[in-house]
Amino acid sequence: MKYRYLTLADRQEIEKLYQSEARFADIADSIGVSVVTIYREIENGSTGKDEYGRPIYSADAAERAFIERLKRRGRKPTSREVCNE
């Protein structure tokens, strides 16, 4: 299995599908990741709860959180390309 980071486009697709109340399994299938990845992504990109207690997901907030995690690891957040050194 090849591992990859979610892109901003992936996160925007997750946000669109999540707001349309798609099942997590359906979101995972459309993005090509596991259901666990979707659960974690929704948790990481949560900006609060709605009136029903459901997390409010923001792709932009999730992307900012991802970049902050990269900074803490010491990686450059501007480039996601793999170096061929």
Side-chain angles (χ1 to χ4, degrees), residues 50-69:
D50 64 7
E51 63 270 10
Y52 303 109
R54 186 176 171 192
I56 299 170
Y57 178 76
S58 168
D60 294 328
E63 183 74 8
R64 284 192 301 272
F66 170 72
I67 289 171
E68 287 303 314
R69 284 192 306 273

Side-chain angles (χ1 to χ4, degrees), residues 15-34:
E15 181 177 14
K16 183 182 81 170
L17 292 170
Y18 182 71
Q19 287 178 350
S20 69
E21 298 184 4
R23 294 176 348 147
F24 282 17
D26 295 335
I27 296 171
D29 286 342
S30 71
I31 302 296
V33 297
S34 74

Side-chain angles (χ1 to χ4, degrees), residues 4-83:
R4 67 178 181 93
Y5 292 120
L6 292 175
T7 64
L8 180 57
D10 291 336
R11 289 184 172 93
Q12 290 168 340
E13 181 71 14
I14 291 169
E15 181 177 14
K16 183 182 81 170
L17 292 170
Y18 182 71
Q19 287 178 350
S20 69
E21 298 184 4
R23 294 176 348 147
F24 282 17
D26 295 335
I27 296 171
D29 286 342
S30 71
I31 302 296
V33 297
S34 74
V35 176
V36 174
T37 300
I38 300 301
Y39 277 102
R40 288 182 185 150
E41 182 63 22
I42 297 295
E43 182 180 312
N44 289 334
S46 176
T47 59
K49 303 261 184 191
D50 64 7
E51 63 270 10
Y52 303 109
R54 186 176 171 192
I56 299 170
Y57 178 76
S58 168
D60 294 328
E63 183 74 8
R64 284 192 301 272
F66 170 72
I67 289 171
E68 287 303 314
R69 284 192 306 273
L70 280 181
K71 284 180 183 177
R72 283 194 301 264
R73 287 192 295 190
R75 294 186 184 200
K76 289 185 177 182
T78 57
S79 175
R80 294 186 186 185
E81 296 178 354
V82 178
C83 293

